[in-house]
Amino acid sequence: MAASLARSPAPFPSVLGLASVIPVVVIDDLADALPLARALVAGGLPAIEVTLRTPVALDAIRAIADGVPGAVVGAGTVISPVQVAGALAAGARFLVSPGWTDVLLESMRASGLPFLPGVSTTSEVVALLERGVREMKFFPAEAAGGTAYLKSLSGPLPQARFCPTGGISPANAPEYLALPNIGCVGGSWMLPADAVAARDWDRVETLTRQAAALSAGGTCR
């Protein structure tokens, strides 16, 4: 599914259907945007969440959307309607927030883009289900209870599905992906700081290939 979506700018209904692993990217230097995204796509992870944590983030989204065939670039750390509008204008194809309010939720919904609002408690999950949202980001995953917490939610709330992020690594990603209510995981382990600083895109691609081998069910493809 990820490959077919990446060939076309057409809308798609679910972030969780893009890939089993979504790289969570912080770009400090705009010059890194294109080679970094190309390494991720070449390694088999075309869905790229660029977090809105740096001054160049929106420009990086625009550059990737325009310059990396095969990339499905989205905006992460979205916390305001202004950021929703900026991400949409920059060419983002999905939105991810660390938490949500009704104002933010309605703004993301009105954008027409698929989105993952962030939750960390059962009450937040139930509130989103009341509002017709069934796909969510679980953040910060490890600090908020990890796989044990998510497994406990699958019984009373089987209709909710999650992309956990925060503390996900190659060691625990398979445990998350084995859970029935997990559609994908988000993480940045394929982008170690020293590799990005050295612009070692070959190493990034190698680590990305290893991450791309993970699939739902906790196994390798």
Side-chain angles (χ1 to χ4, degrees):
M1 181 177 181
S4 62
L5 288 171
R7 286 194 296 268
S8 169
F12 50 90
S14 170
V15 179
L16 300 187
L18 284 170
S20 293
V21 178
I22 296 181
V24 179
V25 180
V26 179
I27 296 178
D28 293 297
D29 187 338
L30 187 58
D32 292 338
L34 292 181
L36 185 154
R38 287 171 182 146
L40 293 173
V41 172
L45 295 180
I48 303 168
E49 177 189 334
V50 177
T51 63
L52 302 186
R53 303 180 191 175
T54 68
V56 302
L58 289 176
D59 287 333
I61 290 171
R62 185 175 293 105
I64 294 169
D66 292 342
V68 184
V72 181
V73 62
T77 322
V78 176
I79 60 172
S80 72
V82 171
Q83 288 181 324
V84 171
L88 183 63
R93 294 179 61 195
F94 62 91
L95 304 170
V96 183
S97 68
W100 67 277
T101 66
D102 280 318
V103 171
L104 179 60
L105 185 67
E106 289 311 308
S107 178
M108 291 193 293
R109 200 194 302 269
S111 74
L113 299 177
F115 59 90
L116 292 176
V119 297
S120 60
T121 69
T122 305
S123 294
E124 290 173 316
V125 175
V126 172
L128 283 177
L129 291 174
E130 286 183 347
R131 290 158 174 78
V133 178
R134 296 189 175 190
E135 298 186 348
M136 311 165 196
K137 170 179 176 172
F138 183 67
F139 174 83
E142 284 289 279
T147 55
Y149 192 93
L150 287 164
K151 184 177 181 180
S152 72
L153 291 179
S154 65
L157 301 171
Q159 64 272 54
R161 299 182 70 231
F162 303 95
C163 173
T165 69
I168 310 298
S169 70
N172 62 19
E175 299 173 23
Y176 280 94
L177 289 168
L179 297 176
N181 54 351
I182 301 304
C184 63
V185 298
S188 57
W189 72 84
M190 70 294 298
L191 294 160
D194 59 339
V196 174
R199 293 184 165 86
D200 188 350
W201 308 124
D202 288 339
R203 182 182 171 201
V204 169
E205 182 177 338
T206 296
L207 293 172
T208 301
R209 289 187 186 282
Q210 295 169 1
L214 297 171
S215 62
T219 60
C220 292
R221 293 191 180 97

